[in-house]
Amino acid sequence: MMSRPDILQVAVPTPLFSLFDYLPPVGCDPEMLRAGVRVRVPFGSTERCGLVLALRKGSELDAGKLKQAIELLEPEPLLQPGDMELLRWAAVYYQHPIGEVVAGALPVRLRRCLSQTHIVHSGWRLTSSGRRVDPESLKRAPRQAQLLSVLGKSPDGLSREEVVLRVGECRQVIRAMEEKGWLETCELEGGANSAGPSARSAPLELNDHQASAVAAVTDSLGGFGVFLLEGVTGSGKTEVYLYLIERVLARGRQVLVLVPEIGLTPQLMERFKRRLGGASVALLHSSLSEKGRELAWQSARSGEASVVLGTRSAVFSPLPNLGLVIVDEEHDLSLKQQEGFRYSARDLAVVRAQRCGCPVVLGSATPSLESLRNALEARYRHLELPLRAGGAVVPTLDLLDVRSVRLEAGVSPTLMRMTEEQLAAGNQVLIFLNRRGYAPQLTCYDCGWIAQCRRCDARMTLHLSSRLLWCHHCGSQRPLDNQCPDCGHGSLKPLGQGTERLEESLQKRFPETGIVRIDRDSTRRKGSLEQLLSDIRKGRYSILLGTQMLSKGHHFPGVTLVGILDVDQGLYGADYRAAERMAQQIIQVAGRAGRAEKPGRVVIQTRHPDHPLLQTLLKNGYSAFARESLGERKEAGLPPYSHQVLIRAEAHRMEDPVAFLEEGAALAREVMGPGVELWGPVPAPMERRAGRFRAHLLVQAGSRPGIQALLARWLPELRKLKLSRRVRWSVDVDPQEML
Ligand code: ADP
Ligand code: ZN
Ligand code: ZN
């Protein structure tokens, strides 16, 4: 009897939910057939690059119908069995097509049928004549002198990234020195880079709280355990991470560190590299080039990088020797992907640690209610850092009642006066307003017309510097009207405050003062955020104003006063998470003040000074607030005391989304177990967005298995509905935003 052939089960990037069976390529050495290699396969009338997830004998398909794969794309598996299991688990849990999940976990070039880039990248080193130049002789070209001495210490050369990290952006300096024949390009090995032992900075002496946190995690190295590290802003969480990383590296294992998008600052990277000395740190974030990402990914995979520091998607990086996972700012919304494959990197980090048997540390000053509940119920170990490290004190928070106060560009006279005082004393002031643009509304004083987005149920934001009306929901823009399109009069007026307007009026009020605005508009150009932040540290600006971009991870030692302009929206938001988010934001922004010797003050303007949430937060702090909120959630049966899945649907015809979800709900009722509830369908909070009508169906259940069992039976039926092809729809497991 002939032995049956091996069948390749391939994840092909398509929106379908199954793996695809293929016969091995013609003449392929059976030894080469391994799970984890990429393979070029025929798919419909085209070819695709897939990844072999498993091999098996035989297929449900007729042998005659099976197609043959075209070629294997590498001799060695790209992913290890553990990596692939995590991807398969995530595809099932988040109900996303496996082929897309797998492709998304690979560097962009490897999603196509391209061969792997070897870990070689180019950099610069000194030529022999460059080595003979004395930096002292370059008094009039200080940056050349600086680069010369930096390269002088690295005879093997430095990558572009390392050069920029040490001396800043310096294209022209490099060109000038190249022309003089002092430096040349060279090839460097490795996708990760190390600071070199000379740059190494010494660890700080831990305080007692830090020391016991380090001890607790160290004790459990080698086995699974989740730790919630709840430490006030500036309490030295990062220092704890660094100690732990050193211990794990000393055991020859790798560490994965996930940070939120705007938390991954050059400052943090520099701190890691300096502290971890010779160890190589691979950075994985969205502003890297495709090639840079691939090199970092490869260095994680080969084990060359001992630390991977990255944003959300780094949770999928291949780490053959993982010994510890750290998730910093674990409450941060950017750890959840909000479109396509809607995974939570924090939750997957926990799953990953569990599967590979290592500890995971979730750190935050403002833990999510999910993690806090797990800690309070002893599923996670709770480690607390209640004090600021290094003697700084946590700033005091005060409410400023602005109910009957005339505001000047959103700022009350009291806050203006306090700002003045701090400026006079030579300190920095930070003003937080989470709304970019000039004004959130443009209106006609004659007829009451308001500039609306033509494609959304939303108002257009006025951006005065670019003379545009801009919808922040769908991105559509149009030139600013000169006169009212309705009545033809010319009295169009901005209403409300955005950061642009705030900047304008503060500049008028403090004409001599350096003011910097940090928001998505002012930092659109690559590298401009870093430039502004570094100018802030150099003391070039005395007033810092901006959106949440300014609130995370940064250390501004000169800031002694923080003004928070607009918290009232969050107090009465439609989303039950609005209060939690607002509290987190207040505490995070407040945490920017008084981080050094100078004590800080935080002032929160509000029209609801008696609001119980604000009162609890101010009097008793975030922990008390969070515990109180947990009580409310428990009573209401809301997450984390239940689990949710949100089905979103949208279409050009108004009736379609609700009709689809109604049919879907009927199907769900047929297969639903006890303890599962359906809410809706209802129109989305913003019913029309980008020209489409939108509706929601919320599924809620007391247990995860209950909801997962429903999804497994229900969604395949939902996909078969005729209407499912007329609407765009998506499944969001553990949704974080109800938009
Ligand atoms: P977090 O990550 O909690 O915001 P960091 O680790 O950034 O805190 O520490 C805040 C500041 O306190 C930093 O300037 C850091 O250098 C300093 N710091 C941290 N731990 C100690 C310590 N044990 N002794 C002195 N200073 C410390
Ligand atoms: Zn008008
Ligand atoms: Zn719009």
Side-chain angles (χ1 to χ4, degrees):
M1 203 178 105
M2 243 172 56
S3 85
R4 285 187 296 168
D6 279 312
I7 301 292
L8 314 181
Q9 291 196 288
V10 181
V12 182
T14 69
L16 298 170
F17 284 79
S18 52
L19 295 175
F20 294 86
D21 288 356
Y22 287 93
L23 293 166
V26 188
C28 168
D29 176 359
E31 294 285 298
M32 305 286 280
L33 293 177
R34 318 244 304 261
V37 299
R38 288 179 307 147
V39 61
R40 192 147 62 89
V41 293
F43 195 82
S45 56
T46 60
E47 288 177 10
R48 297 274 166 96
C49 173
L51 189 107
V52 178
L53 275 191
L55 297 168
R56 66 168 173 184
K57 299 281 178 199
S59 165
E60 281 104 49
L61 291 176
D62 287 346
K65 283 199 180 144
L66 279 174
K67 289 192 187 165
Q68 201 138 26
I70 300 162
E71 62 168 338
L72 298 182
L73 292 165
E74 50 247 327
E76 293 292 321
L78 208 50
L79 296 181
Q80 296 305 307
D83 301 332
M84 290 184 280
E85 274 168 34
L86 182 73
L87 294 171
R88 292 180 87 155
W89 185 91
V92 171
Y93 184 82
Y94 292 106
Q95 293 290 336
H96 199 75
I98 178 69
E100 290 184 357
V101 170
V102 170
L106 300 178
V108 174
R109 284 187 65 262
L110 301 186
R111 295 174 200 171
R112 292 178 251 136
C113 295
L114 299 171
S115 56
Q116 296 178 45
T117 310
H118 284 288
I119 304 186
V120 172
H121 48 171
S122 64
W124 287 280
R125 67 174 169 224
L126 294 183
T127 57
S128 52
S129 67
R131 278 195 293 275
R132 284 194 299 270
V133 180
D134 177 8
E136 286 294 310
S137 70
L138 289 169
K139 284 249 155 55
R140 278 192 293 160
R143 303 206 61 207
Q144 292 191 19
Q146 195 186 1
L147 185 55
L148 201 69
S149 70
V150 163
L151 287 176
K153 289 182 200 133
S154 307
D156 298 332
L158 286 177
S159 69
R160 215 194 97 70
E161 201 188 22
E162 289 169 303
V163 168
V164 172
L165 200 60
R166 286 178 178 67
V167 302
E169 199 51 70
C170 54
R171 264 173 235 273
Q172 267 141 30
V173 181
I174 286 171
R175 193 164 327 130
M177 289 171 67
E178 247 171 346
E179 276 164 16
K180 291 185 197 164
W182 293 351
L183 48 87
E184 60 190 6
T185 53
C186 61
E187 304 249 285
L188 299 168
E189 293 273 319
N193 36 72
S194 58
S198 61
R200 197 173 173 126
S201 63
L204 298 165
E205 198 177 322
L206 296 182
N207 62 37
D208 291 350
H209 293 289
Q210 288 172 312
S212 47
V214 168
V217 182
T218 307
D219 280 348
S220 79
L221 289 177
F224 172 63
V226 192
F227 296 85
L228 175 62
L229 179 63
E230 181 176 13
V232 299
T233 51
S235 58
K237 293 184 290 296
T238 311
E239 203 55 41
V240 169
Y241 305 151
L242 289 165
Y243 263 82
L244 289 171
I245 293 169
E246 285 184 322
R247 306 234 160 141
V248 176
L249 299 189
R251 296 171 184 218
R253 310 295 293 270
Q254 293 173 297
V255 183
L256 171 64
V257 185
L258 299 178
V259 294
E261 260 145 40
I262 33 190
L264 189 54
T265 57
Q267 279 163 284
L268 184 73
M269 301 185 213
E270 173 74 351
R271 190 165 164 195
F272 266 67
K273 290 186 172 174
R274 293 185 75 87
R275 259 300 288 288
L276 301 174
S280 52
V281 179
L283 296 171
L284 273 172
H285 56 93
S286 52
S287 53
L288 287 177
S289 64
E290 275 180 25
K291 192 158 172 202
R293 278 187 81 89
E294 185 185 347
L295 291 172
W297 189 89
Q298 290 284 18
S299 70
R301 171 176 168 260
S302 69
E304 183 216 344
S306 25
V307 178
V308 169
L309 176 58
T311 47
R312 187 171 65 217
S313 64
V315 73
F316 297 113
S317 37
L319 293 153
N321 206 6
L322 185 60
L324 174 67
V325 183
I326 292 169
V327 184
D328 190 28
E329 310 290 1
E330 65 86 33
H331 67 281
D332 196 279
L333 207 53
S334 75
L335 290 166
K336 174 93 195 290
Q337 179 142 306
Q338 307 284 4
E339 54 196 44
F341 174 28
R342 294 171 165 79
Y343 64 94
S344 156
R346 177 199 58 214
D347 295 349
L348 283 177
V350 174
V351 173
R352 184 166 187 178
Q354 182 168 32
R355 293 175 157 261
C356 84
C358 74
V360 51
V361 177
L362 310 178
S364 176
T366 52
S368 63
L369 297 186
E370 280 77 8
S371 298
L372 194 67
R373 177 194 177 196
N374 282 321
L376 295 176
E377 295 178 4
R379 275 187 295 277
Y380 294 177
R381 288 273 305 276
H382 200 176
L383 308 171
E384 289 173 272
L385 306 178
L387 302 174
R388 281 200 161 173
V393 288
V394 179
T396 52
L397 270 61
D398 289 307
L399 288 183
L400 205 62
D401 182 355
V402 293
R403 270 175 298 187
S404 50
V405 175
R406 250 190 83 117
L407 303 178
E408 194 181 331
V411 182
S412 65
T414 313
L415 183 54
M416 280 291 188
R417 192 171 25 79
M418 294 171 74
T419 300
E420 228 158 22
E421 283 166 15
Q422 293 308 317
L423 295 179
N427 296 323
Q428 287 175 322
V429 176
L430 188 158
I431 310 254
F432 175 76
L433 174 63
N434 209 12
R435 203 183 300 119
R436 67 196 173 90
Y438 190 81
Q441 279 188 50
L442 182 70
T443 184
C444 170
Y445 270 25
D446 283 335
C447 73
W449 171 87
I450 293 173
Q452 295 275 358
C453 176
R454 294 182 185 127
R455 309 172 68 217
C456 305
D457 295 332
R459 288 166 180 173
M460 301 291 271
T461 299
L462 170 63
H463 286 248
L464 202 58
S465 58
S466 45
R467 300 200 55 79
L468 285 174
L469 289 173
W470 193 341
C471 173
H472 287 183
H473 302 281
C474 70
S476 55
Q477 296 178 337
R478 57 179 198 250
L480 184 54
D481 310 272
N482 282 322
Q483 33 180 251
C484 173
D486 255 18
C487 71
H489 289 286
S491 49
L492 294 182
K493 294 266 183 336
L495 272 190
Q497 309 300 326
T499 46
E500 222 183 83
R501 190 177 201 180
L502 180 62
E503 180 184 21
E504 180 190 270
S505 67
L506 287 172
Q507 196 68 78
K508 264 193 212 135
R509 171 77 190 247
F510 303 107
E512 308 293 313
T513 303
I515 299 183
V516 63
R517 167 164 64 94
I518 306 261
D519 58 25
R520 246 178 36 231
D521 301 319
S522 72
T523 58
R524 207 165 290 272
R525 236 174 353 96
K526 206 174 158 181
S528 54
L529 176 62
E530 286 76 50
Q531 189 59 50
L532 292 176
L533 290 172
S534 118
D535 289 346
I536 291 173
R537 279 195 299 280
K538 288 183 193 139
R540 201 159 293 174
Y541 302 106
S542 301
I543 299 183
L544 291 41
L545 72 92
T547 58
Q548 53 160 350
M549 276 187 112
L550 205 49
S551 72
K552 296 199 185 142
H554 307 300
H555 186 54
F556 302 123
V559 169
T560 51
L561 172 66
V562 171
I564 301 179
L565 294 196
D566 191 22
V567 295
D568 293 345
Q569 257 182 330
L571 295 175
Y572 295 100
D575 190 332
Y576 67 88
R577 283 192 176 85
E580 175 190 355
R581 301 260 175 250
M582 179 52 60
Q584 288 165 344
Q585 209 155 56
I586 290 176
I587 300 297
Q588 294 288 346
V589 185
R592 302 311 111 206
R595 285 170 75 98
E597 308 78 48
K598 303 175 186 171
R601 240 190 116 173
V602 180
V603 173
I604 304 167
Q605 293 191 166
T606 177
R607 295 199 149 79
H608 304 279
D610 303 322
H611 193 285
L613 147 67
L614 280 178
Q615 289 297 333
T616 307
L617 189 64
L618 259 66
K619 285 204 193 107
N620 307 317
Y622 182 82
S623 277
F625 158 79
R627 283 168 173 78
E628 208 172 293
S629 305
L630 273 178
E632 285 170 13
R633 297 269 183 95
K634 189 172 190 178
E635 212 149 281
L638 287 169
Y641 296 93
S642 60
H643 301 275
Q644 294 181 334
V645 172
L646 184 64
I647 314 284
R648 295 183 179 89
E650 56 177 47
H652 288 291
R653 281 190 9 180
M654 195 171 188
E655 322 68 84
D656 288 346
V658 172
F660 165 68
L661 292 177
E662 263 163 8
E663 281 185 39
L667 286 176
R669 287 196 185 90
E670 286 170 23
V671 291
M672 225 155 75
V676 182
E677 288 171 279
L678 296 183
W679 302 85
V682 291
M686 181 180 296
E687 186 173 5
R688 200 171 55 106
R689 192 170 76 189
R692 289 196 167 82
F693 292 90
R694 306 155 71 234
H696 288 173
L697 175 64
L698 186 68
V699 186
Q700 186 172 302
S703 81
R704 257 185 233 282
I707 219 163
Q708 285 287 326
L710 170 65
L711 295 182
R713 292 184 62 190
W714 176 43
L715 293 180
E717 299 305 313
L718 199 54
R719 286 177 200 126
K720 287 185 204 144
L721 287 180
K722 243 202 206 130
L723 261 175
S724 79
R725 261 161 271 142
R726 279 239 293 280
V727 300
R728 260 206 225 168
W729 62 285
S730 63
V731 180
D732 191 350
V733 178
D734 305 327
Q736 293 296 308
E737 286 184 306
M738 297 297 172
L739 300 175

